[in-house]
Amino acid sequence: METKELADILQRERKLSPDGYKRLVTARDAQLLDHINALARETAQANYGNAVFVRGLVEVSNYCRNNCYYCGIRRGNCNVERYRLSKEEILESCRLGDKLGFRTFVLQGGEDAAMNEDVVAGIVEAIRAEFPDSAITLSLGEYSRGAYQKFFDAGANRYLLRHETANREHYGKLHPASMSFDHRMESLRALKDIGYQTGTGIMVGSPRQTADNIVEDILFMEGFQPEMIGIGPYLPQHDTPFAGEQAGSLEDTLMLISIFRLMFPKALIPSTTSLATVAPEGRERGILAGANVVMPNLSPPENRAKYALYDNKKAFGAEAAEGLRGLEEQMERIGYRVSYSRGDFGNEKWKMEN
Ligand code: SAH
């Protein structure tokens, strides 16, 4: 069977055999990529029209207790200037976002011991009180199930926690032994169980990742049924043990975005900052491959450079909240329109609002 036919089957049946997935992720064929991107666009449009949802990203802290080999804000990097936003600064960022029209705030950060469960719950509560109609998304790494429950009760709705890799051995090559594959997976199950709209995902082309690993990621997602899927190319950061490793590719990322779109027609899939960083038109290409979310940066500008997960991270222009007009134009040029509605998974309310 031709790989193009495999893409057609995936669109129809939302599922392939492991070997079918492997053929798609290893094909590296420009015509196939065009074809599957078009199918994924069609599927996204059938569910979301030409809407691209925006979420306001607030990078709350770059302190981190972990030492992930790929990440620029790992504990062992003494060359990052550390910062932590106060509750008031976080609220200010949300106010700015609210004025710009955002109805989802995403708080992301390292695993900062000072951001203990009560501090985070207090921040969520304050945002919830001031913005009762907005969605609150957290992306703060691993906490106990009890803490996740507390955040949820305080008003958080969504949680992004990429599984990073579904292969235990590969997990051990990306993280020091002090970090636990099982705990990451348990955390994801707890989040879903509590009732969060839950996001998983991987870095495409992360060091030591094999095609079989990616197939395992796809099969994991098939079982987990995430509401959100965050994927972007791995990009090296010069002060990490993986400084000399190769970046993930634009094309491999676009292929995976399309595969996930065809598997999960209603999922919320961002066209990520790392995708915008790896290629000049990465942001647009992601949308044209079936993504339907962008996350402009609402963090105080003076802190953005410090949240340096990888080198050359885009932080200005259409990636930043100030460039919103530019982002709208960028989306219009490719036939899409920015939607400011909450865009909850499976909720069609946005159709009326737009
Ligand atoms: N501490 C939180 C947030 C981490 S940052 C957590 O653990 O979930 C969000 C994502 O950025 C990570 O999940 C990882 O997949 C991605 N990331 C980190 N370093 C990266 C790099 N060098 N290149 C590309 N993506 C990276």
Side-chain angles (χ1 to χ4, degrees), residues 17-39:
S17 67
D19 183 60
Y21 290 127
K22 187 164 176 180
R23 287 188 59 199
L24 289 182
V25 301
T26 54
R28 304 229 159 80
D29 166 340
Q31 279 185 336
L32 169 68
L33 186 61
D34 282 347
H35 180 66
I36 196 166
N37 288 168
L39 296 181

Side-chain angles (χ1 to χ4, degrees), residues 21 25 214-222 256 260 263:
Y21 290 127
V25 301
I214 295 181
V215 174
E216 286 171 89
D217 291 317
I218 293 172
L219 298 177
F220 163 72
M221 309 267 249
E222 221 173 66
L256 270 176
F260 288 130
M263 291 173 66

Side-chain angles (χ1 to χ4, degrees), residues 70-71 108-109 141 161-162 164 184 203 233-235 309-310:
Y70 46 84
C71 182
Q108 187 179 90
L161 185 75
R162 293 185 179 178
E164 313 294 3
R184 192 120 186 132
M203 292 174 286
Y234 161 75
L235 297 171
L309 305 180
Y310 44 81

Side-chain angles (χ1 to χ4, degrees), residues 175-220:
H175 304 97
S178 55
M179 293 181 68
S180 153
F181 174 75
D182 291 319
H183 192 261
R184 192 120 186 132
M185 288 301 187
E186 267 166 43
S187 301
L188 277 167
R189 278 189 295 272
L191 290 164
K192 201 146 213 236
D193 212 40
I194 288 167
Y196 284 97
Q197 294 171 50
T198 306
T200 58
I202 61 166
M203 292 174 286
V204 181
S206 64
R208 326 285 178 263
Q209 181 185 61
T210 64
D212 287 314
N213 292 155
I214 295 181
V215 174
E216 286 171 89
D217 291 317
I218 293 172
L219 298 177
F220 163 72

Side-chain angles (χ1 to χ4, degrees), residues 227-301:
E227 282 82 22
M228 303 175 287
I229 299 161
I231 60 168
Y234 161 75
L235 297 171
Q237 202 282 351
H238 63 278
D239 284 320
T240 63
F242 286 160
E245 299 291 337
Q246 228 190 322
S249 86
L250 170 74
E251 289 79 11
D252 290 353
T253 307
L254 297 174
M255 169 56 79
L256 270 176
I257 289 176
S258 292
I259 290 175
F260 288 130
R261 169 56 67 210
L262 295 177
M263 291 173 66
F264 305 108
K266 288 186 195 283
L268 293 154
I269 304 179
S271 187
T272 55
T273 305
S274 59
L275 190 55
T277 302
V278 81
E281 304 210 314
R283 168 89 66 223
E284 295 93 320
R285 300 280 305 268
I287 300 298
L288 293 171
N292 63 341
V293 172
V294 291
M295 298 166 61
N297 200 327
L298 284 176
S299 310

